[in-house]
Amino acid sequence: MRLSILHKIFLAFLVTFSVASASAAEIWVSTTGKDTNPGTKENPLATVHMAIRKARELRRLKDPSIKDGIHIIVQNGTYYLNEPLFIRPEDSGTAESPTTIEADINARPIISGGFEIKNWKKGATINGVKKANIWVADAPQKAGEIINYRQLWVNGKKAIRAKSTSGNQMDRILSWDSATETCWIPFKDKSIKYEPGMEMFIIQWWSTANLRIKNIEVQKDSARLSFEQPESRIQSEHPWPAPWISKNNGNSAFFLNNGVSMLNEPGEWFLDKKNAKIYYIPREREDLTSAKVTVPVLENLVEMKGTIDSPVHHFNFKGISFQYSNWLRPSQQGHVPLQAGMYLLDAYKLKVPGTPNQSNLENQGWVGRPRAAVEVNYAHNNQFESCRFEHLSSTGLDFNKGTNHNIIKGNLFKDIGGNAMSIGVFSEEAFEAHLPLIIKDEREICSDETIADNLITNVANEDWGCLAIAAGFVKNLTIEHNEISDVAYSGISMGWGWTHTKNVMENNKILGNKIHHYAKHLHDVSGIYTLSSQPNSRIEENYIDKVYNSPYAHDPFLWLYLYTDEGSEGFTIKNNWIAEKKILKNHNGPKGNIWERNDPYVSTKIKEAAGIRAPYKDLEKEVVIDEKWGMQEMPKPYAIELIGSDFDIEKIKSTLVGFRIVGQELYQWKNHLVIYGKMNQPERTKRKLALAFPSLEIKIYDNLVYDFQNFERCKDSKPASEWENIVLTANLVDDPKLQKEYVDYHITQFEKWPEIAKGFCNADFQQLQVFKNGRQLMLVISIPKGENLDKLNPKTTENNPRVDDWNNLMKKYQTGIEGAKPDETWIFLNKIN
């Protein structure tokens, strides 16, 4: 009997031990837990820090429970950090036994670097004056010092740092003096007073800058600003990007911010460090007695960092939210970026241009890298899945150096101040930014990463020159099936260095992404942008559409869908659905790129398949589109005719450069020169030409009386990827009644004479357009490149006698222009190369 009881006790002990061992691979965390608890579901830990430590101990002791992995299960709630989570090489798992920090079922746990400000009171007293509509709270402190921050959120909506202009408006600088490092601005609002800590936010080409103001010298309705070092010197010495002065489009846009004298609109806030107060003017329906007001404290929430010989590996995050990271560098040293948010540490213009790598280079610069909410270095085979990166002041997720075979999939990136993601080295701080990265140890390269099925929306809302995805020197990177919207600048950039010299980059892929509603604040912008040599790289089957119309842009026509910038070579760019052939190939490498079928005529299946795939399609509900922001007007086809003598062709071409005419071509017959292409604001183009060539008569052909498009009118149409245009001109007879008949025939032709369009389809005409100005007609016939009009034209009448009837009917309405021979009606213009 005694032995039987002992046996039962022993069996019970074994059962208890085996259950405990089986569940030991689960470590639970709850906001109601304690770090002295064992970490079970019933007695969870309080912090993810302690959970990571316990998991590390299980690894160290080779506990048998970890055979199938360690699951750190985080229950619902907000976990405020006092220091970042640090993932070390000792935390690594294996392919069979990974460590995963994951959300509990139906939970959305938040790892926060923020601090909640409470006890708000209405009716603040500022400079001895009570302001009834301004609320005030004590500024939070840490270790006896006021916490510094540049952002504030009310109920998850970002507030506005008090600034000098209303709403989305910006002023324009008057001038910039690089020699004295000063800037003149309009200064009519004398209620604005200089305060230490005030800043200037300025747009300069494809980037912005945050400059700490040293002094404001007011003279009547203008003021001269001087700035703190080091940004003052860098801002005035570096040549690109710089403030612009433009009679055509206006000077650089700017506003001043961070002054209590500018606190005057709902949604604005100001941190008064001197008096340890924070002020805020609520928006409509915001009640600060119950609102959740959050300021960021930590710049970095998670650091995953190994070494080149001991990387972190097989450590995953799933379903975790990362929120409220800080961004302090602009408050400490200013912020003057070169591109993609990489800020200049030093920069100047070479007196004698040219470097060993680039003979014409005049711009030297060394850059630093902004902090990120989640930073990853020397880490392999890790994964971020179904996480949320929100309310972050700078970069969201940063895979910097020595990372490979990591996966970023099914995540949300939303309300982010800088790049949603930065991938790969851009330049080491000691390495000049225009040099190609060539390294001996390939383990330092960011390679074989996958970024897939993420939603990236409302990003680059602090540093407007940032992107959704910014990739530097990377290799074998795949960016596929992400959706990108509401971006201040470009969607995806790939590459760094501005050089065709061979470097570490190769075999990179941008596939099946959906990019829309970008270029919200800046131009010189593209849906997809590349730099430098990247052999065997591909940009295919992306869907790019809908571009914001920025009121601040220095070049309002420089918005693009695809942009291969300096040194780009080795790319195959094909089958991308873009609404118009607005692309730019700027100083590409000598080996070039392959371009095929990038237009609105590629298969609609490509358009439909682009973007987020199952099982992550629910992310689409989070897409941000600013309906109040204007959209770019699509360029439309026009012809502009110059009539005169002694055309200076090169001068004409240079005059047209800034207008970014899509498919621009020049044609000439005697004293008639015709510019044909798709344009925005042709009247503006005409005015510029008239200033440059005052002796010429200039006419715009904007009355499109007939427009046949193969894609719309031909059954089973497969438009050619490249066209050749034939341009002809003729007059209508000098009879208003007959002129009206001619136009009416063309307006009703598709309904009453369908055989004509059928003939054009048979001949494989890609388009046929007739423009009218007064009596004169301009006819454009587009055919597949390499074909011949004399060969194709007879096909219009094959088994189609109605075309002959039409042509005979039209003869009575048409006659030759002045200078044509008596038997000439339509005059062919010669294309100018």
Side-chain angles (χ1 to χ4, degrees), residues 35 39 62 127 219 276 414 482 509-510 543 594 817 823:
D35 277 351
K62 297 182 173 57
N127 296 328
Q219 293 186 13
K414 185 176 183 179
N482 303 282
K509 298 174 282 293
I510 303 175
Y543 165 36
I594 298 170
I817 66 171
D823 59 343

Side-chain angles (χ1 to χ4, degrees), residues 545-608:
D545 196 9
K546 296 182 175 60
V547 183
Y548 284 125
N549 182 20
S550 168
Y552 320 127
H554 74 283
D555 186 343
F557 306 114
L558 188 46
W559 56 272
L560 306 154
Y561 297 113
L562 299 166
Y563 186 175
T564 53
D565 204 359
E566 295 194 32
S568 293
E569 66 177 37
F571 285 94
T572 296
I573 306 163
K574 71 177 184 179
N575 292 330
N576 296 287
W577 194 103
I578 55 179
E580 184 53 73
K581 286 189 176 182
K582 267 189 80 70
I583 61 176
L584 181 59
K585 308 169 188 178
N586 186 42
H587 300 144
N588 290 177
K591 295 180 182 178
N593 303 296
I594 298 170
W595 292 79
E596 295 179 4
R597 300 308 306 261
N598 302 288
D599 51 45
Y601 311 123
V602 297
S603 171
T604 55
K605 292 180 179 179
I606 289 174
K607 184 176 178 179
E608 294 162 359

Side-chain angles (χ1 to χ4, degrees), residues 450-734:
T450 299
I451 302 172
D453 299 292
N454 302 283
L455 173 62
I456 306 167
T457 189
N458 182 20
V459 299
N461 56 34
E462 288 283 338
D463 183 341
W464 293 352
C466 288
L467 306 101
I469 303 174
F473 287 107
V474 292
K475 179 180 179 180
N476 301 327
L477 172 64
T478 299
I479 301 173
E480 63 180 0
H481 286 281
N482 303 282
E483 181 167 354
I484 294 168
S485 76
D486 203 57
V487 186
Y489 183 48
S490 294
I492 299 172
S493 72
M494 175 85 81
W496 195 252
W498 292 267
T499 174
H500 67 267
T501 304
K502 181 172 174 52
N503 59 80
V504 302
M505 293 185 289
E506 62 182 1
N507 301 321
N508 296 312
K509 298 174 282 293
I510 303 175
L511 311 172
N513 299 283
K514 181 179 180 180
I515 304 169
H516 58 101
H517 293 88
Y518 60 98
K520 187 172 184 178
H521 294 131
L522 304 182
H523 282 179
D524 198 358
V525 65
S526 186
I528 298 175
Y529 171 91
T530 67
L531 277 172
S532 299
S533 174
Q534 302 184 47
N536 303 312
S537 293
R538 297 160 49 206
I539 301 173
E540 298 179 10
E541 300 190 0
N542 300 283
Y543 165 36
I544 312 174
D545 196 9
K546 296 182 175 60
V547 183
Y548 284 125
N549 182 20
S550 168
Y552 320 127
H554 74 283
D555 186 343
F557 306 114
L558 188 46
W559 56 272
L560 306 154
Y561 297 113
L562 299 166
Y563 186 175
T564 53
D565 204 359
E566 295 194 32
S568 293
E569 66 177 37
F571 285 94
T572 296
I573 306 163
K574 71 177 184 179
N575 292 330
N576 296 287
W577 194 103
I578 55 179
E580 184 53 73
K581 286 189 176 182
K582 267 189 80 70
I583 61 176
L584 181 59
K585 308 169 188 178
N586 186 42
H587 300 144
N588 290 177
K591 295 180 182 178
N593 303 296
I594 298 170
W595 292 79
E596 295 179 4
R597 300 308 306 261
N598 302 288
D599 51 45
Y601 311 123
V602 297
S603 171
T604 55
K605 292 180 179 179
I606 289 174
K607 184 176 178 179
E608 294 162 359
I612 300 168
R613 300 166 295 191
Y616 308 107
K617 288 189 72 65
D618 277 355
L619 286 170
E620 293 173 345
K621 294 184 292 188
E622 300 274 1
V623 168
V624 172
I625 297 171
D626 193 337
E627 300 290 355
K628 297 178 182 177
W629 209 258
M631 301 301 298
Q632 277 290 348
E633 181 183 353
M634 293 300 294
K636 298 176 182 178
Y638 296 99
I640 297 178
E641 183 183 26
L642 284 65
I643 304 170
S645 59
D646 299 325
F647 295 121
D648 185 336
I649 301 300
E650 292 308 313
K651 185 177 179 181
I652 291 171
K653 288 181 178 179
S654 66
T655 303
L656 295 172
V657 165
F659 294 96
R660 315 284 175 186
I661 299 173
V662 179
Q664 174 183 302
E665 292 177 336
L666 273 62
Y667 299 84
Q668 185 176 2
W669 178 78
K670 293 185 178 180
N671 63 334
H672 297 260
L673 187 142
V674 172
I675 303 158
Y676 172 73
K678 292 186 177 180
M679 311 177 195
N680 293 99
Q681 302 180 16
E683 286 288 349
R684 187 173 175 181
T685 309
K686 178 184 175 182
R687 288 196 297 271
K688 190 72 177 286
L689 287 166
L691 286 172
F693 304 96
S695 64
L696 298 180
E697 179 186 355
I698 303 176
K699 299 164 62 177
I700 296 178
Y701 289 79
D702 54 0
N703 183 5
L704 186 59
V705 298
Y706 181 76
D707 187 14
F708 164 84
Q709 296 293 327
N710 184 294
F711 186 72
E712 297 174 345
R713 301 293 175 181
C714 303
K715 187 178 180 182
D716 300 323
S717 170
K718 294 182 179 179
S721 58
E722 294 186 80
W723 300 356
E724 291 183 0
N725 297 319
I726 296 96
V727 177
L728 306 90
T729 188
N731 269 342
L732 292 175
V733 296
D734 192 9

Side-chain angles (χ1 to χ4, degrees), residues 195-209:
E195 303 166 52
M198 281 178 66
E199 296 180 11
M200 179 187 204
F201 178 85
I202 182 171
I203 293 177
Q204 34 203 28
W205 297 68
W206 58 85
S207 194
T208 61

Side-chain angles (χ1 to χ4, degrees), residues 98-321:
T99 295
T100 302
I101 298 176
E102 60 189 89
D104 191 9
I105 297 172
N106 297 322
R108 186 178 288 179
I110 298 168
I111 293 177
S112 173
F115 181 92
E116 286 189 35
I117 299 177
K118 301 179 180 179
N119 300 319
W120 289 87
K121 297 177 181 178
K122 189 176 182 180
T125 301
I126 300 174
N127 296 328
V129 179
K130 190 168 184 178
K131 307 284 187 178
N133 62 333
I134 299 178
W135 288 63
V136 62
D138 292 332
Q141 300 186 24
K142 186 175 183 180
E145 293 187 6
I146 293 173
I147 297 171
N148 196 12
Y149 41 87
R150 301 173 58 82
Q151 292 78 32
L152 177 144
W153 283 267
V154 180
N155 294 330
K157 184 175 181 179
K158 185 182 286 186
I160 303 159
R161 213 173 181 209
K163 62 185 182 70
S164 59
T165 57
S166 299
N168 292 320
Q169 294 178 6
M170 296 184 76
D171 287 327
R172 302 274 179 173
I173 66 171
L174 299 174
S175 65
W176 193 283
D177 187 344
S178 294
T180 61
E181 301 177 10
T182 58
C183 173
W184 282 96
I185 63 169
F187 202 79
K188 295 180 180 180
D189 185 355
K190 299 303 186 294
S191 67
I192 296 175
K193 306 296 182 183
Y194 170 73
E195 303 166 52
M198 281 178 66
E199 296 180 11
M200 179 187 204
F201 178 85
I202 182 171
I203 293 177
Q204 34 203 28
W205 297 68
W206 58 85
S207 194
T208 61
N210 303 78
L211 308 171
R212 294 171 299 157
I213 298 172
K214 183 177 182 180
N215 188 41
I216 299 178
E217 177 190 336
V218 181
Q219 293 186 13
K220 297 182 179 180
D221 286 341
S222 302
R224 183 168 68 172
L225 308 182
S226 58
F227 308 97
E228 300 286 357
Q229 299 292 359
E231 67 266 35
S232 178
R233 177 185 58 79
I234 293 171
Q235 168 73 1
S236 286
E237 279 195 342
H238 83 287
W240 305 104
W244 74 86
I245 305 296
S246 170
K247 293 180 180 178
N248 291 328
N249 306 320
N251 299 339
S252 277
F254 80 96
F255 56 72
L256 309 181
N257 67 0
N258 198 38
V260 71
S261 62
M262 296 178 280
L263 182 67
N264 55 21
E265 284 194 326
E268 289 189 338
W269 66 276
F270 175 73
L271 172 61
D272 183 348
K273 296 180 183 177
K274 181 179 178 181
N275 296 303
K277 299 293 182 183
I278 182 166
Y279 306 109
Y280 179 68
I281 303 177
R283 298 179 177 100
E284 190 176 357
R285 291 189 294 276
E286 284 181 343
D287 180 2
L288 289 200
T289 60
S290 59
K292 182 177 180 181
V293 181
T294 309
V295 295
V297 179
L298 297 183
E299 291 193 299
N300 176 237
L301 310 184
V302 177
E303 185 167 7
M304 181 182 288
K305 188 174 183 179
T307 68
I308 195 165
D309 294 313
S310 298
V312 177
H313 55 87
H314 298 98
F315 196 106
N316 307 322
F317 287 86
K318 186 173 183 179
I320 304 297
S321 292

Side-chain angles (χ1 to χ4, degrees), residues 308-309 378 401-402 438-445 504:
I308 195 165
D309 294 313
Y378 293 109
K401 193 174 188 180
I438 302 170
I439 60 175
K440 294 180 180 179
D441 194 333
E442 289 204 355
R443 292 180 298 170
E444 294 184 18
I445 304 171
V504 302

